[in-house]
Amino acid sequence: SRRATGTGKDNVSPHCPATNVPNSEADPYIDEFAQAIDDGSNVCTEGSVITIDKVPQGTRTTYHYKDVRCWDSLPDGYLTMIALPHHLAVTPCNGDYKVVQAGGHRNLRGLGLAVQTAGHKWELVYPEYDIDWVGEPDKDKIPTILKFLKGNGEL
């Protein structure tokens, strides 16, 4: 049987093998990832403001970043953020955002991929969901609900 390479378990990084050459065999998008790192390297975020408003598609949460150049001698870059699958699902596909199909960061919530924008904001539009449990709770359950909402309960 053929042993998989570029998994990290074989001492070969999925991004760069020992020869310090991008591992395009294991990751065909690695050149795009390298370019994205360069493109995002000159954006330093100093702060942000979050706004929330209603739009026809649902509720829009917008992160407005105060970005500056990290180095004055280099050109403007792209704001680079890490998006988990649930972020990507609500990021508008309007041409303002580029999802980098390589690299990323994996955690328990999934693979987080880099999202880049030339603007200084990230919009997430959450559709309206029907929530069937909104309404009058069962009066017998109110003490239990209050206990858990106050953090005094145990799961």
Side-chain angles (χ1 to χ4, degrees), residues 62-132:
T62 307
Y63 297 85
H64 305 268
Y65 295 97
K66 180 182 178 194
D67 298 321
V68 296
R69 284 185 182 177
C70 301
W71 297 278
D72 290 333
S73 62
L74 296 177
D76 286 336
Y78 293 101
L79 175 63
T80 303
M81 302 147 297
I82 299 295
L84 288 164
H86 64 278
H87 298 128
L88 291 175
V90 294
T91 298
C93 295
N94 58 11
D96 291 340
Y97 305 97
K98 173 187 174 188
V99 177
V100 181
Q101 296 296 323
H105 170 74
R106 184 171 301 281
N107 64 30
L108 294 176
R109 292 189 139 184
L111 176 63
L113 295 174
V115 172
Q116 293 186 310
T117 180
H120 300 282
K121 66 181 181 179
W122 187 8
E123 294 181 350
L124 304 172
V125 179
Y126 297 92
E128 297 295 330
Y129 297 107
D130 289 332
I131 304 175
D132 57 5

Side-chain angles (χ1 to χ4, degrees), residues 46-64:
E46 292 186 337
S48 66
V49 173
I50 300 170
T51 59
I52 299 172
D53 60 320
K54 294 292 291 170
V55 294
Q57 301 85 359
T59 302
R60 176 176 54 202
T61 301
T62 307
Y63 297 85
H64 305 268

